[in-house]
Amino acid sequence: MKLSILRAGGFVFALPVCAFATNAVVNMSHYDMMRPDFVRIKAEGIIGVIHEASYPPFQRDAQYAVRQQAATRAGLLWGAYHYGNGSDPIRQADHFLSIVSSARAQADPLSRPARVLLVLDFEKNGHYPGGTMRVDQAVAFVERIRERTGSYPGIYSGEYHLGRVLNSPKVSPAHKRVLLNCWLWIANYSRQPRATSPWSAWHMWQYCGDGRCKLPRSAYPKSVANIVKAERNIFNGSRSALEDFWQERAWQTGGKKRERQPERTLATDLRASGPLAESAVSETSR
């Protein structure tokens, strides 16, 4: 993920986690031009990989499927993210799920992930077409994912962008209540994130992006295996807790398919959260 705005703040303070612990995750996209050595990545203590699957305008990450097979074959947990923009969020969610499910279906049985952890990349869009995704559009996106998979995805964003957007008076309590159903993946390359409201805490922290990191390298490495400038993350918990989290939150794409509900069901669900949430779906589903 390419974090567009990240404001450094304060001094590094005592950190309860370490990137050398066995609760580490890496994320990748088509911008990572090398051929990742997933066997070495796993040997260096990485538990899972979250890879870009789709990005604006309705593009498929060309590296997603082949890296899914290689990472899964190496024994790594697998996840997928969609980089959101300001276009129709329902269509974005459907496009994202179609790429994830088709990549799994086309993989050979030995490299087919049983579950895929899903994430919405909700950050300022400075290099893809379509503008930046609004909060109401993010709400519609995650509700569509929940409707079709049975679970809410994670939300990824930089600490500064997330705080500035969600603290806006234009964001309703109903919108925040919906987003609280998602798990939080937050980025800060200078210190452990502290501004996580309305979440009480972060679930995963991206401390290094493309090798950018102001934390001590002795405890927070910038590389992994043959990736010199890596995007590294720490889960807020132990290795076993991370594995359980992945199992509980990830989409079992090969399991029993949920019946695809009409879009009016989504609007009905959000109506219960408040009129602003309902209007968000009405606007973005046209």
Side-chain angles (χ1 to χ4, degrees), residues 95-143:
H95 175 69
F96 175 48
L97 292 179
S98 70
I99 290 174
V100 173
S101 59
S102 64
R104 183 192 180 279
Q106 293 169 18
D108 66 76
L110 295 178
S111 59
R112 186 175 295 156
R115 295 176 180 270
V116 180
L117 193 65
L118 304 178
V119 181
L120 168 62
D121 187 344
F122 177 62
E123 60 181 286
K124 183 171 181 177
N125 178 17
H127 59 282
Y128 287 128
T132 298
M133 177 177 273
R134 303 187 309 267
V135 173
D136 60 299
Q137 292 173 324
V139 167
F141 182 97
V142 302
E143 283 286 18

Side-chain angles (χ1 to χ4, degrees), residues 78-277:
W78 186 251
Y81 74 85
H82 168 72
Y83 193 112
N85 74 350
S87 66
D88 181 351
I90 305 299
R91 185 181 171 199
Q92 289 185 65
D94 289 344
H95 175 69
F96 175 48
L97 292 179
S98 70
I99 290 174
V100 173
S101 59
S102 64
R104 183 192 180 279
Q106 293 169 18
D108 66 76
L110 295 178
S111 59
R112 186 175 295 156
R115 295 176 180 270
V116 180
L117 193 65
L118 304 178
V119 181
L120 168 62
D121 187 344
F122 177 62
E123 60 181 286
K124 183 171 181 177
N125 178 17
H127 59 282
Y128 287 128
T132 298
M133 177 177 273
R134 303 187 309 267
V135 173
D136 60 299
Q137 292 173 324
V139 167
F141 182 97
V142 302
E143 283 286 18
R144 183 63 163 181
I145 297 296
R146 190 272 313 164
E147 176 189 311
R148 292 195 53 195
T149 70
S151 299
Y152 284 94
I155 293 283
Y156 167 90
S157 192
E159 182 177 5
Y160 171 70
H161 177 73
L162 194 70
R164 182 179 63 83
V165 171
L166 293 186
N167 287 327
S168 168
K170 297 179 181 179
V171 178
S172 72
H175 285 156
K176 292 182 181 181
R177 285 196 298 271
V178 172
L179 294 180
L180 273 173
N181 291 302
C182 303
W183 57 277
L184 178 61
W185 180 9
I186 195 165
N188 189 315
Y189 305 154
S190 300
R191 67 183 187 190
Q192 182 181 338
R194 292 179 291 187
T196 60
S197 180
W199 291 268
S200 59
W202 51 269
H203 296 85
M204 194 155 64
W205 167 30
Q206 185 188 56
Y207 73 86
C208 181
D210 292 330
R212 290 181 294 156
C213 177
K214 295 183 179 180
L215 296 163
R217 184 177 297 188
S218 58
Y220 298 89
K222 300 179 181 180
S223 62
V224 62
N226 63 326
I227 306 176
V228 176
K229 295 182 178 181
E231 299 200 312
R232 297 194 52 143
N233 310 270
I234 302 170
F235 178 74
N236 195 2
S238 66
R239 175 192 178 112
S240 61
L242 172 58
E243 292 172 340
D244 290 343
F245 175 88
W246 212 289
Q247 176 75 11
E248 293 167 1
R249 295 274 188 164
W251 181 29
Q252 189 175 359
T253 56
K256 182 179 179 181
K257 294 184 178 180
R258 289 171 57 86
E259 181 180 353
R260 183 165 176 175
Q261 303 174 33
E263 291 181 5
R264 65 174 179 273
T265 302
L266 177 59
T268 301
D269 291 342
L270 286 182
R271 189 177 298 118
S273 299
L276 290 179

